[in-house]
Amino acid sequence: MSTSTQHQFRYTQTPSKVLHLRNLPWECTDDELVELCRPFGKIVNTKCNVGANRNQAFVEFADLNQAISMVSYYASSSEPAQVRGKTVYIQYSNRHEIVNNKSPGDVPGNVLLVTIEGVEAGDVSIDVIHLVFSAFGFVHKIATFEKTAGFQVGEFVNRTSFDVSLPVLTLCFCLQALIQYTDADTAAAARNALDGRSIPRYLLPEHVGACHLRISYSAHRDLNIKFQSNRSRDYTNPMLPVNHTAIDGALQPVVGPDGKKIEPESNVLLASIENMQYAVTVDVLHTVFSAFGTVQKIAIFEKNGQTQALIQYPDVTTAATAKEALEGHCIYDGGYCKLHLTYSRHTDLNVKAFSDKSRDYTVPQVPAVPWQNPQAGPMYPGTAPALQGQVLGGQMLSWDPAQQTATPSYVSAPGTYPSHTYAAPPTPAYPTAAASSPIAQSNPLVHNASSMGITQPGIPLNVNLQPGGASPSVPASSPLMQASPIAGASPPAHQPYFS
DNA sequence: AGCACA
């Protein structure tokens, strides 16, 4: 007996609810497999286009007996199994379940996970979503929630109930919606028609740009909607209580008895930056906001074409102090980069620890350069122009990084970062220079911070100032030079802080 | 025409 004969039995010994099909036509579809196998039982999974020739497949039945009935049928049938007229050979697989590499979002179901990119909750109403998705069949339920791009891939599958506020940072805003249809076919029709398309502009507020739909399948079968609200609907249950608070809360700000907007206090400030003629980096914000206490986290993002930032303090009191002191003031003289501060609804930001647009000062920073004090959490190795360029986002193009190393370190303040105690003001070397700097004199923030009676020694803006208030490496023609204290001085000015 | 995926 040859070994090949033995091999012939290797794969046919043990019945399995998974069948192996071979000699299929090239790139046979799931539908064709299902059509062939469905008469024998319920198919729970398929995997087609297997093998180098993509002409093999697996079909998994719900029950072993169903697989046996199919194998038995074709074993004794005069008509072989066929797909597109081609004879298909069917055997028990040597495995007992199909594991396919479909990502969860590719597994069809009756609930769609829709990501609407570039918008947040207020931009696309649930009624618009309902309208768009009703074109394909009855929409049973909708649940929407904001999501952070890059924060977590996929949905929160362990969430069983919606309309509970989930403090997720929407650094890069997008809106997600779970759309529940009657069946997977309807969901698939909607997905096929809408995936990659955009919601028509006339259904959206004017300020909303293109918002593409990215659609996958949810693992949910039946959404648990607690209220009819601005973020969730159950169209199968009109008796469901209406959550007016949630509806009102999102559409308009909470208004107090005097008609003024009531804004719950928070330890996180939302800063909108008007008239942003100059770059406002994470470092600039850190400098400005550290005057009032420890800054834990910062995130910068764009919203409707305006730069905004979230600044997280450890407590509400500190945030309130900073808000009071900085509201309406400009980072740069001349009305540039005017700050408008409100309380964020976030309480704990989830941001990348060290990126172009965000910083988490509560986690250890990038590895220390040997000559630097590791306690200082050095983030700007002064000898690494590449990193500098990255950090500065290429916005200081006129600045020659080579000057960086040539710039003397004005202060050495190891330990002041990240604890932000500023207990030993690193300024004494140049107190006069700082005080006499035209920047210090003309910068509202500096005046404001001083006049606020903030008692922390060493207001960062002063710390940052250099003799002359400007880097000689910036060409005189640079607009950054004209009125911008931090921008003009900033490239080397970072150094005193962190090196 | 004879068993994938990590």
Side-chain angles (χ1 to χ4, degrees), chain A residues 25-259:
Chain A
W26 185 71
E27 291 199 346
C28 168
T29 65
D30 279 309
D31 288 341
E32 288 171 308
L33 290 180
V34 169
E35 189 185 345
L36 176 69
C37 303
R38 191 165 47 195
F40 301 93
K42 187 184 178 191
I43 296 149
V44 297
N45 206 349
T46 59
K47 186 179 180 71
C48 54
N49 302 326
V50 170
N53 296 328
R54 299 172 66 80
N55 61 355
Q56 300 174 46
F58 298 95
V59 172
E60 180 177 341
F61 282 99
D63 189 84
L64 178 63
N65 289 327
Q66 298 166 349
I68 292 173
S69 73
M70 183 166 184
V71 171
S72 306
Y73 176 83
Y74 284 111
S76 59
S77 168
S78 54
E79 291 291 313
Q82 288 188 333
V83 172
R84 294 184 219 167
K86 240 187 138 196
T87 297
V88 176
Y89 299 89
I90 302 169
Q91 290 171 294
Y92 300 113
S93 171
N94 55 9
R95 304 200 196 178
H96 288 85
E97 65 177 341
I98 292 177
V99 285
N100 45 22
N101 52 3
K102 284 177 182 171
S103 66
D106 293 332
V107 180
N110 64 318
V111 178
L112 294 178
L113 172 63
V114 179
T115 302
I116 309 171
E117 293 168 345
V119 302
E120 56 182 315
D123 294 336
V124 182
S125 78
I126 202 163
D127 296 312
V128 165
I129 295 171
H130 181 245
L131 182 69
V132 168
F133 283 86
S134 291
F136 305 90
F138 177 61
V139 173
H140 288 233
K141 301 173 184 179
I142 298 178
T144 69
F145 42 95
E146 289 183 32
K147 180 173 165 292
T148 315
F151 170 67
Q152 185 175 350
V153 181
E155 60 175 310
F156 302 95
V157 284
N158 56 349
R159 283 184 73 187
T160 52
S161 96
F162 298 92
D163 207 358
V164 288
S165 76
L166 190 74
V168 174
L169 170 65
T170 51
L171 176 62
C172 191
F173 298 98
C174 76
L175 181 67
Q176 288 199 321
L178 291 165
I179 316 273
Q180 180 176 337
Y181 285 109
T182 306
D183 50 51
D185 287 344
T186 314
R191 185 180 118 119
N192 292 338
L194 294 177
D195 192 19
R197 306 281 297 275
S198 295
I199 294 178
R201 292 301 303 270
Y202 64 86
L203 292 173
L204 301 170
E206 272 187 22
H207 70 272
V208 177
C211 64
H212 295 290
L213 300 176
R214 223 181 55 235
I215 305 178
S216 59
Y217 293 104
S218 166
H220 289 287
R221 294 284 92 99
D222 189 21
L223 305 178
N224 179 8
I225 307 292
K226 295 281 175 61
F227 298 101
Q228 313 285 12
S229 80
N230 66 304
R231 59 180 66 148
S232 65
R233 295 288 163 83
D234 182 346
Y235 301 96
T236 67
N237 185 3
M239 292 295 108
L240 201 65
V242 173
N243 185 342
H244 285 290
T245 313
I247 288 180
D248 297 341
L251 295 182
Q252 60 204 39
V254 182
V255 174
D258 56 353

Side-chain angles (χ1 to χ4, degrees), chain A residues 411-452:
Chain A
V411 288
S412 172
T416 59
Y417 176 83
S419 62
H420 306 282
T421 53
Y422 301 109
T427 47
Y430 293 95
T432 315
S436 65
S437 159
I439 296 143
Q441 287 164 359
S442 61
N443 191 316
L445 282 185
V446 175
H447 291 310
N448 184 273
S450 323
S451 63
M452 275 296 296

Side-chain angles (χ1 to χ4, degrees), chain A residues 176-358:
Chain A
Q176 288 199 321
L178 291 165
I179 316 273
Q180 180 176 337
Y181 285 109
T182 306
D183 50 51
D185 287 344
T186 314
R191 185 180 118 119
N192 292 338
L194 294 177
D195 192 19
R197 306 281 297 275
S198 295
I199 294 178
R201 292 301 303 270
Y202 64 86
L203 292 173
L204 301 170
E206 272 187 22
H207 70 272
V208 177
C211 64
H212 295 290
L213 300 176
R214 223 181 55 235
I215 305 178
S216 59
Y217 293 104
S218 166
H220 289 287
R221 294 284 92 99
D222 189 21
L223 305 178
N224 179 8
I225 307 292
K226 295 281 175 61
F227 298 101
Q228 313 285 12
S229 80
N230 66 304
R231 59 180 66 148
S232 65
R233 295 288 163 83
D234 182 346
Y235 301 96
T236 67
N237 185 3
M239 292 295 108
L240 201 65
V242 173
N243 185 342
H244 285 290
T245 313
I247 288 180
D248 297 341
L251 295 182
Q252 60 204 39
V254 182
V255 174
D258 56 353
K260 287 184 87 174
K261 187 171 143 187
I262 293 177
E263 200 176 36
E265 290 193 328
S266 166
N267 63 313
V268 179
L269 294 178
L270 172 65
S272 303
I273 305 172
E274 278 177 46
N275 195 20
M276 209 178 90
Q277 299 282 324
Y278 302 116
V280 174
T281 62
V282 175
D283 305 304
V284 167
L285 290 174
H286 182 255
T287 302
V288 169
F289 283 87
S290 288
F292 308 93
T294 304
V295 172
Q296 293 182 320
K297 301 174 187 179
I298 293 177
I300 300 176
F301 55 92
E302 294 284 322
K303 186 181 165 188
N304 305 334
Q306 191 188 40
T307 297
Q308 300 195 340
L310 291 163
I311 297 97
Q312 179 176 336
Y313 287 108
D315 53 76
V316 174
T317 313
T318 312
T321 307
K323 180 174 182 290
E324 180 80 10
L326 296 176
E327 168 58 28
H329 288 287
C330 304
I331 297 177
Y332 300 116
D333 189 27
Y336 300 122
C337 305
K338 185 176 183 179
L339 291 173
H340 178 64
L341 297 169
T342 57
Y343 292 109
S344 167
R345 60 201 164 82
H346 298 291
T347 55
D348 188 23
L349 307 180
N350 195 320
V351 297
K352 280 188 187 168
F354 186 93
S355 84
D356 200 25
K357 295 290 178 194
S358 69

